[in-house]
PDB file of all heavy atoms in Angstrom:
ATOM      1  N   ALA K 889      13.729  -2.935  -6.154  1.00 94.00           N
ATOM      2  CA  ALA K 889      14.167  -2.800  -4.762  1.00 94.00           C
ATOM      3  C   ALA K 889      13.033  -2.417  -3.829  1.00 94.00           C
ATOM      4  O   ALA K 889      13.225  -2.368  -2.614  1.00 94.00           O
ATOM      5  CB  ALA K 889      15.280  -1.755  -4.669  1.00 94.00           C
ATOM      6  N   HIS K 890      11.857  -2.131  -4.380  1.00 95.00           N
ATOM      7  CA  HIS K 890      10.679  -1.763  -3.598  1.00 95.00           C
ATOM      8  C   HIS K 890       9.509  -2.633  -4.047  1.00 95.00           C
ATOM      9  O   HIS K 890       8.588  -2.164  -4.730  1.00 95.00           O
ATOM     10  CB  HIS K 890      10.341  -0.285  -3.795  1.00 95.00           C
ATOM     11  CG  HIS K 890      11.383   0.658  -3.285  1.00 95.00           C
ATOM     12  ND1 HIS K 890      12.568   0.895  -3.967  1.00 95.00           N
ATOM     13  CD2 HIS K 890      11.438   1.428  -2.162  1.00 95.00           C
ATOM     14  CE1 HIS K 890      13.299   1.766  -3.275  1.00 95.00           C
ATOM     15  NE2 HIS K 890      12.630   2.106  -2.180  1.00 95.00           N
ATOM     16  N   PRO K 891       9.504  -3.907  -3.691  1.00 96.00           N
ATOM     17  CA  PRO K 891       8.455  -4.808  -4.170  1.00 96.00           C
ATOM     18  C   PRO K 891       7.055  -4.422  -3.716  1.00 96.00           C
ATOM     19  O   PRO K 891       6.068  -4.810  -4.353  1.00 96.00           O
ATOM     20  CB  PRO K 891       8.868  -6.169  -3.623  1.00 96.00           C
ATOM     21  CG  PRO K 891       9.790  -5.857  -2.476  1.00 96.00           C
ATOM     22  CD  PRO K 891      10.500  -4.605  -2.861  1.00 96.00           C
ATOM     23  N   ASP K 892       6.942  -3.666  -2.648  1.00 96.00           N
ATOM     24  CA  ASP K 892       5.620  -3.187  -2.242  1.00 96.00           C
ATOM     25  C   ASP K 892       5.039  -2.281  -3.321  1.00 96.00           C
ATOM     26  O   ASP K 892       3.890  -2.445  -3.740  1.00 96.00           O
ATOM     27  CB  ASP K 892       5.700  -2.451  -0.901  1.00 96.00           C
ATOM     28  CG  ASP K 892       6.714  -1.309  -0.896  1.00 96.00           C
ATOM     29  OD1 ASP K 892       7.733  -1.390  -1.613  1.00 96.00           O
ATOM     30  OD2 ASP K 892       6.489  -0.324  -0.160  1.00 96.00           O
ATOM     31  N   LEU K 893       5.846  -1.343  -3.809  1.00 93.00           N
ATOM     32  CA  LEU K 893       5.392  -0.428  -4.848  1.00 93.00           C
ATOM     33  C   LEU K 893       5.265  -1.116  -6.199  1.00 93.00           C
ATOM     34  O   LEU K 893       4.319  -0.871  -6.956  1.00 93.00           O
ATOM     35  CB  LEU K 893       6.353   0.757  -4.975  1.00 93.00           C
ATOM     36  CG  LEU K 893       6.591   1.591  -3.716  1.00 93.00           C
ATOM     37  CD1 LEU K 893       7.528   2.744  -4.036  1.00 93.00           C
ATOM     38  CD2 LEU K 893       5.271   2.105  -3.146  1.00 93.00           C
ATOM     39  N   ARG K 894       6.225  -1.974  -6.492  1.00 93.00           N
ATOM     40  CA  ARG K 894       6.207  -2.641  -7.787  1.00 93.00           C
ATOM     41  C   ARG K 894       4.937  -3.460  -7.978  1.00 93.00           C
ATOM     42  O   ARG K 894       4.250  -3.352  -8.992  1.00 93.00           O
ATOM     43  CB  ARG K 894       7.421  -3.556  -7.933  1.00 93.00           C
ATOM     44  CG  ARG K 894       7.381  -4.373  -9.219  1.00 93.00           C
ATOM     45  CD  ARG K 894       8.427  -5.461  -9.265  1.00 93.00           C
ATOM     46  NE  ARG K 894       8.259  -6.250 -10.491  1.00 93.00           N
ATOM     47  CZ  ARG K 894       8.970  -7.330 -10.760  1.00 93.00           C
ATOM     48  NH1 ARG K 894       9.878  -7.767  -9.911  1.00 93.00           N
ATOM     49  NH2 ARG K 894       8.753  -7.996 -11.887  1.00 93.00           N
ATOM     50  N   TRP K 895       4.625  -4.293  -6.985  1.00 95.00           N
ATOM     51  CA  TRP K 895       3.494  -5.200  -7.171  1.00 95.00           C
ATOM     52  C   TRP K 895       2.159  -4.484  -7.006  1.00 95.00           C
ATOM     53  O   TRP K 895       1.152  -4.906  -7.568  1.00 95.00           O
ATOM     54  CB  TRP K 895       3.635  -6.404  -6.248  1.00 95.00           C
ATOM     55  CG  TRP K 895       4.790  -7.249  -6.677  1.00 95.00           C
ATOM     56  CD1 TRP K 895       5.979  -7.432  -6.033  1.00 95.00           C
ATOM     57  CD2 TRP K 895       4.889  -7.992  -7.899  1.00 95.00           C
ATOM     58  NE1 TRP K 895       6.812  -8.232  -6.764  1.00 95.00           N
ATOM     59  CE2 TRP K 895       6.175  -8.597  -7.913  1.00 95.00           C
ATOM     60  CE3 TRP K 895       4.040  -8.198  -8.977  1.00 95.00           C
ATOM     61  CZ2 TRP K 895       6.600  -9.396  -8.969  1.00 95.00           C
ATOM     62  CZ3 TRP K 895       4.464  -8.989 -10.032  1.00 95.00           C
ATOM     63  CH2 TRP K 895       5.728  -9.583 -10.024  1.00 95.00           C
ATOM     64  N   ARG K 896       2.141  -3.364  -6.253  1.00 93.00           N
ATOM     65  CA  ARG K 896       0.926  -2.559  -6.246  1.00 93.00           C
ATOM     66  C   ARG K 896       0.669  -1.995  -7.642  1.00 93.00           C
ATOM     67  O   ARG K 896      -0.454  -2.036  -8.147  1.00 93.00           O
ATOM     68  CB  ARG K 896       1.026  -1.411  -5.246  1.00 93.00           C
ATOM     69  CG  ARG K 896      -0.290  -0.644  -5.109  1.00 93.00           C
ATOM     70  CD  ARG K 896      -0.094   0.804  -4.708  1.00 93.00           C
ATOM     71  NE  ARG K 896       0.679   0.959  -3.496  1.00 93.00           N
ATOM     72  CZ  ARG K 896       1.138   2.132  -3.076  1.00 93.00           C
ATOM     73  NH1 ARG K 896       0.898   3.232  -3.765  1.00 93.00           N
ATOM     74  NH2 ARG K 896       1.859   2.227  -1.972  1.00 93.00           N
ATOM     75  N   ALA K 897       1.732  -1.467  -8.280  1.00 90.00           N
ATOM     76  CA  ALA K 897       1.581  -0.912  -9.627  1.00 90.00           C
ATOM     77  C   ALA K 897       1.148  -1.980 -10.624  1.00 90.00           C
ATOM     78  O   ALA K 897       0.278  -1.750 -11.472  1.00 90.00           O
ATOM     79  CB  ALA K 897       2.893  -0.267 -10.078  1.00 90.00           C
ATOM     80  N   GLU K 898       1.758  -3.161 -10.529  1.00 93.00           N
ATOM     81  CA  GLU K 898       1.375  -4.253 -11.432  1.00 93.00           C
ATOM     82  C   GLU K 898      -0.082  -4.644 -11.198  1.00 93.00           C
ATOM     83  O   GLU K 898      -0.835  -4.918 -12.137  1.00 93.00           O
ATOM     84  CB  GLU K 898       2.289  -5.455 -11.214  1.00 93.00           C
ATOM     85  CG  GLU K 898       3.750  -5.222 -11.557  1.00 93.00           C
ATOM     86  CD  GLU K 898       4.018  -5.181 -13.047  1.00 93.00           C
ATOM     87  OE1 GLU K 898       3.086  -5.411 -13.837  1.00 93.00           O
ATOM     88  OE2 GLU K 898       5.176  -4.898 -13.421  1.00 93.00           O
ATOM     89  N   GLY K 899      -0.484  -4.681  -9.930  1.00 94.00           N
ATOM     90  CA  GLY K 899      -1.855  -5.029  -9.610  1.00 94.00           C
ATOM     91  C   GLY K 899      -2.849  -4.032 -10.167  1.00 94.00           C
ATOM     92  O   GLY K 899      -3.920  -4.404 -10.665  1.00 94.00           O
ATOM     93  N   VAL K 900      -2.517  -2.738 -10.091  1.00 91.00           N
ATOM     94  CA  VAL K 900      -3.395  -1.705 -10.638  1.00 91.00           C
ATOM     95  C   VAL K 900      -3.563  -1.904 -12.140  1.00 91.00           C
ATOM     96  O   VAL K 900      -4.684  -1.839 -12.673  1.00 91.00           O
ATOM     97  CB  VAL K 900      -2.841  -0.301 -10.329  1.00 91.00           C
ATOM     98  CG1 VAL K 900      -3.562   0.761 -11.150  1.00 91.00           C
ATOM     99  CG2 VAL K 900      -2.963   0.006  -8.840  1.00 91.00           C
ATOM    100  N   ARG K 901      -2.455  -2.164 -12.836  1.00 91.00           N
ATOM    101  CA  ARG K 901      -2.553  -2.337 -14.286  1.00 91.00           C
ATOM    102  C   ARG K 901      -3.399  -3.563 -14.642  1.00 91.00           C
ATOM    103  O   ARG K 901      -4.223  -3.520 -15.562  1.00 91.00           O
ATOM    104  CB  ARG K 901      -1.152  -2.445 -14.896  1.00 91.00           C
ATOM    105  CG  ARG K 901      -0.477  -1.093 -15.085  1.00 91.00           C
ATOM    106  CD  ARG K 901       0.800  -1.214 -15.879  1.00 91.00           C
ATOM    107  NE  ARG K 901       1.873  -1.774 -15.089  1.00 91.00           N
ATOM    108  CZ  ARG K 901       2.676  -1.074 -14.299  1.00 91.00           C
ATOM    109  NH1 ARG K 901       2.510   0.237 -14.195  1.00 91.00           N
ATOM    110  NH2 ARG K 901       3.641  -1.639 -13.611  1.00 91.00           N
ATOM    111  N   SER K 902      -3.185  -4.647 -13.917  1.00 94.00           N
ATOM    112  CA  SER K 902      -3.966  -5.858 -14.195  1.00 94.00           C
ATOM    113  C   SER K 902      -5.443  -5.630 -13.886  1.00 94.00           C
ATOM    114  O   SER K 902      -6.324  -6.079 -14.626  1.00 94.00           O
ATOM    115  CB  SER K 902      -3.426  -7.030 -13.381  1.00 94.00           C
ATOM    116  OG  SER K 902      -2.107  -7.359 -13.776  1.00 94.00           O
ATOM    117  N   TYR K 903      -5.720  -4.934 -12.782  1.00 93.00           N
ATOM    118  CA  TYR K 903      -7.105  -4.640 -12.419  1.00 93.00           C
ATOM    119  C   TYR K 903      -7.773  -3.798 -13.502  1.00 93.00           C
ATOM    120  O   TYR K 903      -8.924  -4.049 -13.886  1.00 93.00           O
ATOM    121  CB  TYR K 903      -7.141  -3.923 -11.078  1.00 93.00           C
ATOM    122  CG  TYR K 903      -8.533  -3.745 -10.517  1.00 93.00           C
ATOM    123  CD1 TYR K 903      -9.050  -4.648  -9.597  1.00 93.00           C
ATOM    124  CD2 TYR K 903      -9.323  -2.665 -10.906  1.00 93.00           C
ATOM    125  CE1 TYR K 903     -10.338  -4.475  -9.080  1.00 93.00           C
ATOM    126  CE2 TYR K 903     -10.594  -2.488 -10.401  1.00 93.00           C
ATOM    127  CZ  TYR K 903     -11.099  -3.398  -9.484  1.00 93.00           C
ATOM    128  OH  TYR K 903     -12.369  -3.224  -9.001  1.00 93.00           O
ATOM    129  N   GLU K 904      -7.070  -2.803 -13.990  1.00 90.00           N
ATOM    130  CA  GLU K 904      -7.651  -1.932 -15.016  1.00 90.00           C
ATOM    131  C   GLU K 904      -7.905  -2.692 -16.313  1.00 90.00           C
ATOM    132  O   GLU K 904      -8.791  -2.325 -17.084  1.00 90.00           O
ATOM    133  CB  GLU K 904      -6.735  -0.740 -15.254  1.00 90.00           C
ATOM    134  CG  GLU K 904      -6.718   0.241 -14.073  1.00 90.00           C
ATOM    135  CD  GLU K 904      -5.729   1.371 -14.249  1.00 90.00           C
ATOM    136  OE1 GLU K 904      -4.789   1.223 -15.076  1.00 90.00           O
ATOM    137  OE2 GLU K 904      -5.880   2.399 -13.560  1.00 90.00           O
ATOM    138  N   ARG K 905      -7.132  -3.769 -16.555  1.00 94.00           N
ATOM    139  CA  ARG K 905      -7.370  -4.627 -17.720  1.00 94.00           C
ATOM    140  C   ARG K 905      -8.466  -5.651 -17.451  1.00 94.00           C
ATOM    141  O   ARG K 905      -8.757  -6.473 -18.307  1.00 94.00           O
ATOM    142  CB  ARG K 905      -6.087  -5.371 -18.113  1.00 94.00           C
ATOM    143  CG  ARG K 905      -4.963  -4.499 -18.638  1.00 94.00           C
ATOM    144  CD  ARG K 905      -3.889  -5.357 -19.295  1.00 94.00           C
ATOM    145  NE  ARG K 905      -3.370  -6.380 -18.397  1.00 94.00           N
ATOM    146  CZ  ARG K 905      -2.307  -6.234 -17.627  1.00 94.00           C
ATOM    147  NH1 ARG K 905      -1.635  -5.082 -17.627  1.00 94.00           N
ATOM    148  NH2 ARG K 905      -1.891  -7.216 -16.846  1.00 94.00           N
ATOM    149  N   LYS K 906      -9.012  -5.622 -16.238  1.00 94.00           N
ATOM    150  CA  LYS K 906     -10.017  -6.588 -15.789  1.00 94.00           C
ATOM    151  C   LYS K 906      -9.458  -8.003 -15.689  1.00 94.00           C
ATOM    152  O   LYS K 906     -10.206  -8.985 -15.728  1.00 94.00           O
ATOM    153  CB  LYS K 906     -11.265  -6.559 -16.695  1.00 94.00           C
ATOM    154  CG  LYS K 906     -11.935  -5.192 -16.770  1.00 94.00           C
ATOM    155  CD  LYS K 906     -13.227  -5.248 -17.545  1.00 94.00           C
ATOM    156  CE  LYS K 906     -13.837  -3.858 -17.736  1.00 94.00           C
ATOM    157  NZ  LYS K 906     -14.069  -3.145 -16.456  1.00 94.00           N
ATOM    158  N   ASP K 907      -8.169  -8.101 -15.519  1.00 96.00           N
ATOM    159  CA  ASP K 907      -7.522  -9.397 -15.287  1.00 96.00           C
ATOM    160  C   ASP K 907      -7.437  -9.577 -13.772  1.00 96.00           C
ATOM    161  O   ASP K 907      -6.376  -9.476 -13.160  1.00 96.00           O
ATOM    162  CB  ASP K 907      -6.134  -9.408 -15.931  1.00 96.00           C
ATOM    163  CG  ASP K 907      -5.556 -10.813 -16.066  1.00 96.00           C
ATOM    164  OD1 ASP K 907      -6.139 -11.746 -15.454  1.00 96.00           O
ATOM    165  OD2 ASP K 907      -4.563 -10.977 -16.777  1.00 96.00           O
ATOM    166  N   TYR K 908      -8.589  -9.837 -13.174  1.00 95.00           N
ATOM    167  CA  TYR K 908      -8.719  -9.738 -11.731  1.00 95.00           C
ATOM    168  C   TYR K 908      -7.946 -10.815 -10.969  1.00 95.00           C
ATOM    169  O   TYR K 908      -7.423 -10.551  -9.879  1.00 95.00           O
ATOM    170  CB  TYR K 908     -10.192  -9.774 -11.343  1.00 95.00           C
ATOM    171  CG  TYR K 908     -10.979  -8.612 -11.905  1.00 95.00           C
ATOM    172  CD1 TYR K 908     -12.125  -8.829 -12.667  1.00 95.00           C
ATOM    173  CD2 TYR K 908     -10.580  -7.297 -11.672  1.00 95.00           C
ATOM    174  CE1 TYR K 908     -12.862  -7.759 -13.183  1.00 95.00           C
ATOM    175  CE2 TYR K 908     -11.304  -6.226 -12.180  1.00 95.00           C
ATOM    176  CZ  TYR K 908     -12.437  -6.462 -12.937  1.00 95.00           C
ATOM    177  OH  TYR K 908     -13.151  -5.400 -13.442  1.00 95.00           O
ATOM    178  N   ALA K 909      -7.873 -12.016 -11.501  1.00 96.00           N
ATOM    179  CA  ALA K 909      -7.137 -13.072 -10.800  1.00 96.00           C
ATOM    180  C   ALA K 909      -5.664 -12.704 -10.692  1.00 96.00           C
ATOM    181  O   ALA K 909      -5.024 -12.890  -9.641  1.00 96.00           O
ATOM    182  CB  ALA K 909      -7.313 -14.408 -11.518  1.00 96.00           C
ATOM    183  N   VAL K 910      -5.106 -12.176 -11.784  1.00 97.00           N
ATOM    184  CA  VAL K 910      -3.709 -11.748 -11.759  1.00 97.00           C
ATOM    185  C   VAL K 910      -3.550 -10.555 -10.825  1.00 97.00           C
ATOM    186  O   VAL K 910      -2.589 -10.486 -10.043  1.00 97.00           O
ATOM    187  CB  VAL K 910      -3.231 -11.402 -13.179  1.00 97.00           C
ATOM    188  CG1 VAL K 910      -1.832 -10.782 -13.152  1.00 97.00           C
ATOM    189  CG2 VAL K 910      -3.225 -12.660 -14.048  1.00 97.00           C
ATOM    190  N   ALA K 911      -4.482  -9.619 -10.899  1.00 95.00           N
ATOM    191  CA  ALA K 911      -4.409  -8.443 -10.027  1.00 95.00           C
ATOM    192  C   ALA K 911      -4.397  -8.842  -8.560  1.00 95.00           C
ATOM    193  O   ALA K 911      -3.612  -8.314  -7.762  1.00 95.00           O
ATOM    194  CB  ALA K 911      -5.587  -7.509 -10.305  1.00 95.00           C
ATOM    195  N   LEU K 912      -5.254  -9.780  -8.191  1.00 97.00           N
ATOM    196  CA  LEU K 912      -5.310 -10.217  -6.804  1.00 97.00           C
ATOM    197  C   LEU K 912      -3.979 -10.814  -6.364  1.00 97.00           C
ATOM    198  O   LEU K 912      -3.481 -10.510  -5.271  1.00 97.00           O
ATOM    199  CB  LEU K 912      -6.430 -11.240  -6.624  1.00 97.00           C
ATOM    200  CG  LEU K 912      -6.663 -11.731  -5.191  1.00 97.00           C
ATOM    201  CD1 LEU K 912      -7.113 -10.592  -4.291  1.00 97.00           C
ATOM    202  CD2 LEU K 912      -7.698 -12.856  -5.180  1.00 97.00           C
ATOM    203  N   ALA K 913      -3.383 -11.647  -7.211  1.00 97.00           N
ATOM    204  CA  ALA K 913      -2.089 -12.250  -6.878  1.00 97.00           C
ATOM    205  C   ALA K 913      -1.018 -11.173  -6.733  1.00 97.00           C
ATOM    206  O   ALA K 913      -0.159 -11.245  -5.830  1.00 97.00           O
ATOM    207  CB  ALA K 913      -1.693 -13.261  -7.948  1.00 97.00           C
ATOM    208  N   GLU K 914      -1.054 -10.167  -7.584  1.00 96.00           N
ATOM    209  CA  GLU K 914      -0.046  -9.101  -7.516  1.00 96.00           C
ATOM    210  C   GLU K 914      -0.256  -8.217  -6.293  1.00 96.00           C
ATOM    211  O   GLU K 914       0.721  -7.833  -5.620  1.00 96.00           O
ATOM    212  CB  GLU K 914      -0.089  -8.298  -8.812  1.00 96.00           C
ATOM    213  CG  GLU K 914       0.449  -9.095  -9.993  1.00 96.00           C
ATOM    214  CD  GLU K 914       0.145  -8.494 -11.347  1.00 96.00           C
ATOM    215  OE1 GLU K 914      -0.776  -7.640 -11.444  1.00 96.00           O
ATOM    216  OE2 GLU K 914       0.825  -8.872 -12.324  1.00 96.00           O
ATOM    217  N   PHE K 915      -1.500  -7.907  -5.972  1.00 96.00           N
ATOM    218  CA  PHE K 915      -1.751  -7.147  -4.747  1.00 96.00           C
ATOM    219  C   PHE K 915      -1.278  -7.927  -3.518  1.00 96.00           C
ATOM    220  O   PHE K 915      -0.765  -7.342  -2.556  1.00 96.00           O
ATOM    221  CB  PHE K 915      -3.240  -6.817  -4.621  1.00 96.00           C
ATOM    222  CG  PHE K 915      -3.714  -5.708  -5.520  1.00 96.00           C
ATOM    223  CD1 PHE K 915      -4.901  -5.834  -6.231  1.00 96.00           C
ATOM    224  CD2 PHE K 915      -2.986  -4.530  -5.656  1.00 96.00           C
ATOM    225  CE1 PHE K 915      -5.355  -4.814  -7.061  1.00 96.00           C
ATOM    226  CE2 PHE K 915      -3.428  -3.499  -6.490  1.00 96.00           C
ATOM    227  CZ  PHE K 915      -4.612  -3.652  -7.195  1.00 96.00           C
ATOM    228  N   LYS K 916      -1.428  -9.238  -3.545  1.00 98.00           N
ATOM    229  CA  LYS K 916      -0.970 -10.036  -2.401  1.00 98.00           C
ATOM    230  C   LYS K 916       0.550 -10.004  -2.285  1.00 98.00           C
ATOM    231  O   LYS K 916       1.093 -10.034  -1.169  1.00 98.00           O
ATOM    232  CB  LYS K 916      -1.482 -11.470  -2.515  1.00 98.00           C
ATOM    233  CG  LYS K 916      -2.971 -11.607  -2.188  1.00 98.00           C
ATOM    234  CD  LYS K 916      -3.442 -13.053  -2.238  1.00 98.00           C
ATOM    235  CE  LYS K 916      -4.913 -13.158  -1.841  1.00 98.00           C
ATOM    236  NZ  LYS K 916      -5.416 -14.559  -1.899  1.00 98.00           N
ATOM    237  N   ARG K 917       1.251  -9.923  -3.404  1.00 98.00           N
ATOM    238  CA  ARG K 917       2.715  -9.812  -3.338  1.00 98.00           C
ATOM    239  C   ARG K 917       3.118  -8.467  -2.743  1.00 98.00           C
ATOM    240  O   ARG K 917       4.076  -8.383  -1.964  1.00 98.00           O
ATOM    241  CB  ARG K 917       3.319 -10.005  -4.728  1.00 98.00           C
ATOM    242  CG  ARG K 917       3.131 -11.398  -5.275  1.00 98.00           C
ATOM    243  CD  ARG K 917       3.822 -11.621  -6.597  1.00 98.00           C
ATOM    244  NE  ARG K 917       5.268 -11.748  -6.441  1.00 98.00           N
ATOM    245  CZ  ARG K 917       6.094 -12.157  -7.396  1.00 98.00           C
ATOM    246  NH1 ARG K 917       5.603 -12.473  -8.599  1.00 98.00           N
ATOM    247  NH2 ARG K 917       7.387 -12.246  -7.176  1.00 98.00           N
ATOM    248  N   ALA K 918       2.389  -7.404  -3.105  1.00 97.00           N
ATOM    249  CA  ALA K 918       2.648  -6.108  -2.481  1.00 97.00           C
ATOM    250  C   ALA K 918       2.317  -6.160  -0.992  1.00 97.00           C
ATOM    251  O   ALA K 918       3.067  -5.651  -0.146  1.00 97.00           O
ATOM    252  CB  ALA K 918       1.820  -5.021  -3.169  1.00 97.00           C
ATOM    253  N   ALA K 919       1.193  -6.787  -0.663  1.00 98.00           N
ATOM    254  CA  ALA K 919       0.768  -6.900   0.735  1.00 98.00           C
ATOM    255  C   ALA K 919       1.780  -7.664   1.570  1.00 98.00           C
ATOM    256  O   ALA K 919       1.982  -7.369   2.756  1.00 98.00           O
ATOM    257  CB  ALA K 919      -0.586  -7.601   0.804  1.00 98.00           C
ATOM    258  N   TYR K 920       2.446  -8.636   0.959  1.00 98.00           N
ATOM    259  CA  TYR K 920       3.448  -9.453   1.654  1.00 98.00           C
ATOM    260  C   TYR K 920       4.626  -8.604   2.126  1.00 98.00           C
ATOM    261  O   TYR K 920       5.315  -8.949   3.072  1.00 98.00           O
ATOM    262  CB  TYR K 920       3.927 -10.541   0.699  1.00 98.00           C
ATOM    263  CG  TYR K 920       4.823 -11.587   1.306  1.00 98.00           C
ATOM    264  CD1 TYR K 920       4.319 -12.548   2.183  1.00 98.00           C
ATOM    265  CD2 TYR K 920       6.173 -11.636   0.980  1.00 98.00           C
ATOM    266  CE1 TYR K 920       5.143 -13.519   2.717  1.00 98.00           C
ATOM    267  CE2 TYR K 920       7.000 -12.609   1.516  1.00 98.00           C
ATOM    268  CZ  TYR K 920       6.486 -13.557   2.378  1.00 98.00           C
ATOM    269  OH  TYR K 920       7.315 -14.532   2.909  1.00 98.00           O
ATOM    270  N   HIS K 921       4.824  -7.464   1.446  1.00 98.00           N
ATOM    271  CA  HIS K 921       5.899  -6.551   1.825  1.00 98.00           C
ATOM    272  C   HIS K 921       5.358  -5.305   2.512  1.00 98.00           C
ATOM    273  O   HIS K 921       5.983  -4.251   2.480  1.00 98.00           O
ATOM    274  CB  HIS K 921       6.733  -6.190   0.595  1.00 98.00           C
ATOM    275  CG  HIS K 921       7.514  -7.343   0.047  1.00 98.00           C
ATOM    276  ND1 HIS K 921       7.015  -8.185  -0.931  1.00 98.00           N
ATOM    277  CD2 HIS K 921       8.734  -7.838   0.375  1.00 98.00           C
ATOM    278  CE1 HIS K 921       7.909  -9.126  -1.196  1.00 98.00           C
ATOM    279  NE2 HIS K 921       8.948  -8.940  -0.425  1.00 98.00           N
TER     280      HIS K 921
END
Side-chain angles (χ1 to χ4, degrees):
H890 295 76
D892 55 329
L893 303 182
R894 175 191 176 185
W895 292 111
R896 186 208 305 170
E898 296 286 356
V900 167
R901 280 189 285 274
S902 295
Y903 188 96
E904 290 175 340
R905 293 193 304 267
K906 302 186 185 304
D907 196 348
Y908 298 126
V910 173
L912 183 64
E914 290 167 342
F915 284 135
K916 285 183 177 179
R917 294 185 74 169
Y920 188 72
H921 292 91

